[in-house]
């Protein structure tokens, strides 16, 4: 007899159907798992054996073969434990095969039969919903699975409770969707003394989804400004919240089934490796650039990152996704992020202060900033100098305008963009390109003349020219102007710097 249970394999944010086929046949006693399993899947034999033993059952003294089909698809992770156990119990005649046919099953088993959490349950639930099936998952992840909508979710705390539910002896409670995560605003802009130019650049970046780089001496407030960004960004709409939560589910960071409404803010250390930043590893997982999808990726001390690691961001910043290629798989993760970078002007950080600057200035500044490639700098829309804060600035009262006031203007600008781009698949002005850019960001005659002169004087690349138009469109939206004028182009140009020659 062959028993079949449905489960999934994860490839990026895609869940692919996998059949767990179990055969219990006469022959030499053994327990084999085939179908391109990784180490974690192969070890499931011992976890399944112990979990079934905890029920007071013994495996039949026969040859047990588990086949994970399709056999050419790599199987990774511990979520195959529960489907393997149910397929085996079905082959032993302890579970009705027809009942199992109505569910997709995921979950890790403990040696005592408990069903433990495993990454990707939200993806599995959406996959099951698309196939018109229910989902069997760990009890702690029932609220996460319930976000998939009209789908039967069986959230089991342990294998015994699940068997009793499937036999109709003691039904498990249907889980409710998890709570919506409370808004996390972070520091308020009122905490930042002075730095009006940097605050304005931060507002423009938030309003249009643009990349931002801040250069200034230590202690000028660059990190504080960056940490204020979540407080002025609008909340994620429901569709985007589900998208971000799917990434968190795959990464195993979606706790308690809470749907994420706050835009992600990721700040990896400058020692981060390339797989940590863009994704990959032995078992492919999303990197920081994908975990920051639809939010902010903050890179402090930008030149301290390895140059190869920084250059790996060039493709995601341009395309909004990152592709991880391996010999046996090719996985794509979304990576539509706002890059916010901060750096000192030189290694000592005091290039503009003759009293504090090191003896290597200004040559040390050129060497330090040359660690960042020109193509990466060209992908940053706004460059702003953050000046040192004096003691006189620190004793001044807090500014009258804080994050709430800036967030209100950002919200209005985002609403204008949403209405303008409705149905196009684009989200913000930072995504404008081609015909959409020409239709919505072409400046008036005076603006075109200024931009043409600046393009020649600053030797702008085609990418730089396009990004100035996008920033100008955002500045116009913040001023509630339907057209892009010369004043908007002029301000956009003030935030642009020519990438250094390497």
């Amino acid at each position: 007899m062959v028993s079949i249970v449905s489960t999934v394999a994860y490839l990026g944010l895609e869940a692919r159907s996998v059949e767990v086929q179990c055969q219990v046949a006469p022959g030499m006693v053994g327990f084999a798992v085939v179908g391109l399993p990784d180490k974690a899947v192969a070890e499931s034999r011992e976890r399944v054996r112990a979990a079934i033993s905890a029920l007071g059952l013994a495996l039949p003294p026969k040859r047990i073969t588990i086949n994970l089909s399709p056999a050419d698809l790599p199987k990774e992770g511990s979520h195959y434990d529960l489907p393997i156990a149910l397929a085996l119990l079905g082959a032993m005649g302890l579970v009705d095969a027809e009942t199992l046919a109505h569910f997709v099953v995921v979950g890790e088993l403990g040696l005592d039969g408990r069903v433990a959490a495993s990454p990707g349950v939200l993806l599995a639930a959406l996959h099951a919903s698309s196939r018109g099936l229910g989902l069997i998952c760990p009890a702690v992840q029932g609220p996460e699975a319930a976000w998939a909508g009209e789908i039967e979710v069986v959230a089991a705390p342990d294998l015994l409770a699940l068997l009793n539910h499937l036999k109709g002896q003691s039904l498990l409670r249907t889980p409710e969707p998890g709570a919506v995560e409370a808004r996390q605003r972070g520091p308020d802009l009122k905490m930042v003394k002075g730095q009006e130019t940097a605050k304005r650049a931060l507002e423009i970046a938030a309003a249009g989804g643009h990349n931002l780089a801040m250069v200034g001496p230590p202690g000028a407030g660059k990190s504080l400004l960056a940490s204020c960004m979540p407080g002025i960004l609008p909340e994620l709409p429901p569709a985007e919240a589900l998208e971000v939560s799917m990434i968190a589910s795959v990464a195993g960071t979606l706790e308690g089934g809470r749907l994420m409404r706050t835009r992600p803010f990721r700040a990896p250390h400058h020692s981060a490796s390339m797989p940590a930043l863009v994704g990959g590893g032995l078992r492919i997982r999303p990197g920081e650039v994908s975990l920051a999808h639809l939010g902010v990726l903050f890179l402090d001390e930008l030149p301290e990152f390895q140059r190869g690691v920084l250059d790996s961001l060039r493709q995601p910043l341009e395309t909004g996704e990152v592709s991880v290629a391996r010999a046996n798989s090719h996985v794509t993760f979304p990576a539509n992020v706002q890059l916010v970078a901060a750096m000192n002007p030189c290694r000592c950080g005091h290039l503009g202060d003759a009293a504090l600057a090191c003896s290597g200035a200004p040559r040390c500044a050129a060497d330090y900033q040359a660690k960042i490639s020109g193509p990466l700098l060209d992908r940053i829309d706004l460059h702003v100098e953050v000046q040192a804060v004096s003691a006189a600035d620190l004793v001044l009262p807090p500014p009258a305008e804080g994050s709430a006031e800036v967030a209100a203007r950002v919200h209005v600008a985002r609403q204008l963009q949403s209405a303008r781009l409705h149905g196009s698949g684009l989200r913000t002005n930072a995504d404008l390109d081609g015909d959409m850019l020409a239709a919505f960001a072409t400046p008036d005659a005076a603006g075109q003349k200024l931009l043409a002169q600046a393009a020649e004087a600053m030797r702008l690349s085609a990418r730089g020219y396009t990004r100035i138009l996008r920033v100008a469109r955002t500045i116009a939206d913040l001023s509630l102007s339907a057209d892009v004028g010369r004043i908007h182009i002029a301000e956009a140009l003030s935030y642009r710097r020519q990438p250094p020659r390497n």
Side-chain angles (χ1 to χ4, degrees), residues 133-221:
L133 301 175
L135 179 76
I136 296 176
C137 68
V140 295
Q141 293 178 298
E144 176 182 338
W147 281 110
E150 298 297 326
I151 175 178
E152 181 182 357
V153 177
V154 177
D158 54 60
L159 192 54
L160 179 60
L162 177 57
L163 293 180
N164 290 334
H165 175 88
L166 294 176
K167 292 179 179 180
Q169 296 176 355
S170 178
L171 298 182
L172 293 169
R173 182 179 177 181
T174 301
E176 297 292 331
V180 176
E181 185 182 59
R183 179 73 184 268
Q184 299 175 4
R185 294 187 178 274
D188 195 284
L189 278 173
K190 286 186 177 181
M191 297 174 60
V192 182
K193 302 292 182 68
Q195 310 298 6
E196 298 305 321
T197 301
K199 289 180 185 178
R200 172 62 174 173
L202 196 73
E203 179 179 344
I204 295 170
H210 304 291
N211 301 324
L212 169 67
M214 296 179 285
V215 183

Side-chain angles (χ1 to χ4, degrees), residues 117-139:
S118 61
V121 165
L122 181 56
L123 266 71
L126 293 170
H127 173 79
S129 178
S130 68
R131 294 181 56 195
L133 301 175
L135 179 76
I136 296 176
C137 68

Side-chain angles (χ1 to χ4, degrees), residues 7 79 99 104 150 176 188 266 305 388 439 445 454 463 467 483:
T7 186
H79 67 277
T99 301
V104 170
E150 298 297 326
E176 297 292 331
D188 195 284
R266 307 290 298 189
F305 285 81
R463 180 186 292 116
R467 289 180 179 270
D483 300 318

Side-chain angles (χ1 to χ4, degrees), residues 42 49 70 104 133 150 165 184 187 196 208 225 235 247 275 281 301 306 324 343 347 356 367 388 397 402 469 484 490:
R49 191 194 305 272
V104 170
L133 301 175
E150 298 297 326
H165 175 88
Q184 299 175 4
E196 298 305 321
L225 281 163
E235 283 190 344
I247 300 174
E301 307 295 346
Q306 299 178 33
V324 181
M343 59 182 287
R347 184 167 294 279
L356 298 175
D367 293 341
L469 287 177
V484 177

